[in-house]
Amino acid sequence: QVQLVESGGGLVQPGGSLRLSCAASTSIFSFNVMGWYRQPPGKQRELVATIPNIGVPNYADSVKGRFTISRDNAKNTVYLQMNSLKPEDTAVYSCYGRRLGYEYWGQGTQVTVSS
């Protein structure tokens, strides 16, 4: 069974940085798309960024220029580098992957931006 496990969340001050990691239990080379979604408190889940196996990443307008998604197929890991964090970035961040028509989700990691 495919598992996605996130790490790297935590508490950070506004303007700070965090890097999230998503480790897959199988080769991510077979994933057509991988990405990150987030669910702010009291709100619906929303797209943060996706990265295809071939092609360019896609970002939500709210994070463009601040967040960078990358994938390391050799390490079976997807990363989300988050810079210039704002309080409105506070959310549970979940890793996502689509492979062979199936979707997979991680359990989520909490990111809190607060002074």
Side-chain angles (χ1 to χ4, degrees), residues 76-107:
N76 297 326
T77 302
V78 177
Y79 303 98
L80 184 68
Q81 178 66 45
M82 305 186 294
N83 299 328
S84 302
L85 283 161
K86 304 175 181 180
E88 51 263 43
D89 293 318
T90 294
V92 175
Y93 285 71
S94 297
C95 181
Y96 162 85
R98 188 175 73 236
R99 185 184 81 151
L100 301 177
Y102 290 92
E103 295 185 341
Y104 300 91
W105 292 90
Q107 82 287 352

Side-chain angles (χ1 to χ4, degrees), residues 20-99:
L20 304 182
S21 299
C22 171
S25 60
T26 187
S27 171
I28 66 169
F29 184 78
S30 61
F31 283 80
N32 303 103
V33 176
M34 298 202 73
W36 292 91
Y37 285 71
R38 68 186 182 187
Q39 186 166 18
K43 297 184 179 180
Q44 291 188 334
R45 186 166 59 194
E46 60 187 26
L47 169 73
V48 176
T50 58
I51 183 168
N53 201 9
I54 298 174
V56 298
N58 176 58
Y59 297 93
D61 288 342
S62 59
V63 306
K64 281 181 181 177
R66 300 189 298 122
F67 291 11
T68 302
I69 189 172
S70 61
R71 60 192 289 170
D72 187 335
N73 288 347
K75 294 184 178 180
N76 297 326
T77 302
V78 177
Y79 303 98
L80 184 68
Q81 178 66 45
M82 305 186 294
N83 299 328
S84 302
L85 283 161
K86 304 175 181 180
E88 51 263 43
D89 293 318
T90 294
V92 175
Y93 285 71
S94 297
C95 181
Y96 162 85
R98 188 175 73 236
R99 185 184 81 151

